[in-house]
Amino acid sequence: MVAKVGRDMADHADEIWTWCCDWPISEEAYRSVAENGEAWPGSDPVVQEQVAGAGHNSGEIDEAEAFADQVDAAEKGKDAYARIADDEQLAAAQSLRSRLLELKSEGEKKHKREKEPHLEAGRAVDKKWLPNVKRAQAAADAIRASMNTYETEKLRKQREAEAARLTAEIAARKEADKANAPAPVEQQPEPVAAAPTPIRGSYGRAASVSVVNVVTAITDQDALYRFLKDHPDLKNCMFDLAKRAVAKGHTVPGVTVEEQAKVA
């Protein structure tokens, strides 16, 4: 077996063949490239220029600046493929896309290599301090949970006492009406603070206490849906769930499904 690389005869043609056999081209395309120096069909000019100039940068040029220049040129080339008209342009678009992804990978590797010593130093500082910081926070959170439980129970008892007082007052008025007697004098209830007072210890800052309504369970999903059905967050959540279900092969009612080609 014999083979040519450009205009030169190649050694070990059998080895070259295993790389080339999956990418057949016409003789016309071969001669236009090998003999006339024209671009390969489906090639991108930016990619050709960057690949041809690979390894020719001066050592005085900052590596990050040279990388930025390559990304700038490749990024500008994307406008040529804003709308693709034929398969040859499609192939050229993939060439530039491959180059951009190659640049991305190259930049990520160099970024990681340059940043790693700083990350390692940061991890050493984190290891020195953060475990004990997290222990202190966890212990403080455990105490706050107990305080929340106590304040919630105290609030519950206050509400129950107020409800019992109102119930007794209403019952007394009804009895007075039946007997045509003067209404009983209302007993002044013990004042219930509009908001719990701050908790002050003998050390450190005081802790404020607020009364909030917290949803702890869903008791009627249909009623909840009717209330929230027009909320944009719910719509976005349902949209995402519908996409996942369709991707898994389910037939989802209430949505529009289109067959689309996705380039990997």
Side-chain angles (χ1 to χ4, degrees), residues 4-7 25-35 40:
K4 292 180 70 176
V5 177
R7 298 184 178 183
I25 60 170
S26 67
E27 181 179 354
E28 179 183 2
Y30 165 77
R31 293 192 181 280
S32 68
V33 175
E35 298 178 2
W40 284 105

Side-chain angles (χ1 to χ4, degrees), residues 7-104:
R7 298 184 178 183
D8 301 323
M9 298 301 297
D11 297 328
H12 308 294
D14 54 334
E15 295 179 5
I16 295 175
W17 170 249
T18 59
W19 289 95
C20 300
C21 62
D22 290 334
W23 306 91
I25 60 170
S26 67
E27 181 179 354
E28 179 183 2
Y30 165 77
R31 293 192 181 280
S32 68
V33 175
E35 298 178 2
N36 301 328
E38 298 177 5
W40 284 105
S43 61
D44 176 84
V46 175
V47 176
Q48 282 190 305
E49 180 180 354
Q50 292 191 358
V51 172
H56 294 177
N57 291 333
S58 169
E60 298 178 358
I61 299 177
D62 181 80
E63 188 176 31
E65 291 181 2
F67 177 75
D69 290 343
Q70 289 186 315
V71 173
D72 286 343
E75 185 181 32
K76 290 176 182 176
K78 77 180 190 302
D79 295 337
Y81 308 109
R83 187 174 182 82
I84 297 174
D86 54 40
D87 286 349
E88 185 171 338
Q89 190 182 20
L90 180 69
Q94 174 58 20
S95 295
L96 181 60
R97 176 173 176 261
S98 294
R99 177 57 180 161
L100 283 163
L101 293 174
E102 185 178 57
L103 287 169
K104 168 186 171 289

Side-chain angles (χ1 to χ4, degrees), residues 210-246:
S210 58
V211 177
V212 296
N213 293 320
V214 179
V215 177
T216 58
I218 296 175
T219 58
D220 189 332
Q221 187 168 328
D222 292 337
L224 178 62
Y225 171 74
R226 286 193 296 272
F227 177 76
L228 296 174
K229 66 179 182 179
D230 293 324
H231 197 291
D233 288 350
L234 177 61
K235 290 182 178 180
N236 291 335
C237 179
M238 293 174 64
F239 186 63
D240 288 339
L241 291 173
K243 288 193 293 185
R244 291 186 207 170
V246 170

Side-chain angles (χ1 to χ4, degrees), residues 167-186:
T167 300
E169 182 180 312
I170 292 171
R173 286 183 178 179
K174 288 181 178 180
E175 289 297 326
D177 289 342
K178 289 180 181 179
N180 293 320
V185 178
E186 294 184 6

